[in-house]
């Protein structure tokens, strides 16, 4: 057994970092989604401003508006979970509870944004890796800032 470990040990040591790269590459869409849509609760909601967020996050400019979600990150991560370690894949799921959101609307041809905050039910897309990778639809409940 010891000789087997001596022979296989160095090979496993070389392959271990590659396994980490594979796991990280599977979650690229999740990381990109969080970068573009997630607002940390470590700041007050009123401290977030659309003009700053749209520049910082490099949000897509091809739409009339962009949505940011203000919640704990694990609430978004668990949207695609069915049971422990069992994830929905390539499906659309309506969240069971509303999220506080910030919608940023572009004003005309200018590079400034108008903002609306409120609560909304959100339909998420669970990607092939079993993590949220997009917002498909929203059902606005209340607009507040």
């Amino acid at each position: 057994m010891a000789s087997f470990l001596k022979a296989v040990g160095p090979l496993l040591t070389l392959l271990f970092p590659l396994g980490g790269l594979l796991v990280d590459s599977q979650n690229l869409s999740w990381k990109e989604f969080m970068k573009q849509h997630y607002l940390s609760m470590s700041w007050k909601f009123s401290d977030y401003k659309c003009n700053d967020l749209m520049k910082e996050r490099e949000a897509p400019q091809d739409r009339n508006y962009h949505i940011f979600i203000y919640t704990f990150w694990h609430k978004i991560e668990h949207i695609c979970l069915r049971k422990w370690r069992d994830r929905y894949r390539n499906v659309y799921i309506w969240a069971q509870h509303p999220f506080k959101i910030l919608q940023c609307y572009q004003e005309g041809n200018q590079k400034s944004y108008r903002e609306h905050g409120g609560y909304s039910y959100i339909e998420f897309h669970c990607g092939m890796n079993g993590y949220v990778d997009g917002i498909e639809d929203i059902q606005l409940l209340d607009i507040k800032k």
Side-chain angles (χ1 to χ4, degrees):
M1 179 71 169
S3 62
F4 174 76
L5 288 177
K6 281 184 180 180
V8 176
L11 179 62
L12 291 175
T13 304
L14 291 172
L15 291 177
F16 184 72
L18 293 176
L21 287 174
L22 180 62
V23 169
D24 286 343
S25 69
Q26 290 175 343
N27 293 331
L28 281 178
S29 60
W30 161 251
K31 289 178 182 177
E32 188 63 27
F33 175 84
M34 293 300 282
K35 178 182 168 189
Q36 288 187 5
H37 295 283
Y38 173 68
L39 297 178
S40 172
M41 293 189 74
S42 62
W43 285 26
K44 290 192 306 187
F45 184 71
S46 59
D47 289 344
Y48 287 107
K49 302 295 177 204
C50 284
N51 286 326
D52 298 332
L53 285 169
M54 294 299 281
K55 289 176 191 169
E56 280 175 22
R57 306 289 179 93
E58 299 173 0
Q61 305 291 324
D62 60 343
R63 294 187 220 145
N64 293 339
Y65 69 94
H66 190 75
I67 298 171
F68 293 98
I69 304 168
Y70 183 74
T71 189
F72 295 106
W73 67 268
H74 60 82
K75 287 190 176 186
I76 298 172
E77 182 184 39
H78 290 143
I79 295 291
C80 295
L81 280 178
R82 215 177 331 199
K83 299 176 190 166
W84 186 79
R85 290 291 206 202
D86 187 17
R87 295 186 173 273
Y88 290 105
R89 297 176 190 285
N90 198 28
V91 295
Y92 297 99
I93 296 180
W94 280 98
Q96 294 180 356
H97 58 279
F99 288 96
K100 192 167 194 175
I101 64 167
L102 179 65
Q103 289 181 306
C104 299
Y105 295 91
Q106 194 166 14
E107 294 186 320
N109 292 337
Q110 302 171 3
K111 293 202 177 205
S112 63
Y113 292 88
R114 192 172 25 120
E115 48 203 41
H116 293 285
Y119 288 89
S120 179
Y121 283 100
I122 301 174
E123 184 181 29
F124 292 96
H125 180 259
C126 297
M128 291 302 292
N129 60 9
Y131 289 92
V132 170
D133 67 0
I135 296 173
E136 182 63 22
D137 197 5
I138 64 167
Q139 181 183 12
L140 196 61
L141 297 178
D142 186 19
I143 296 179
K144 294 180 184 172
K145 174 76 173 148

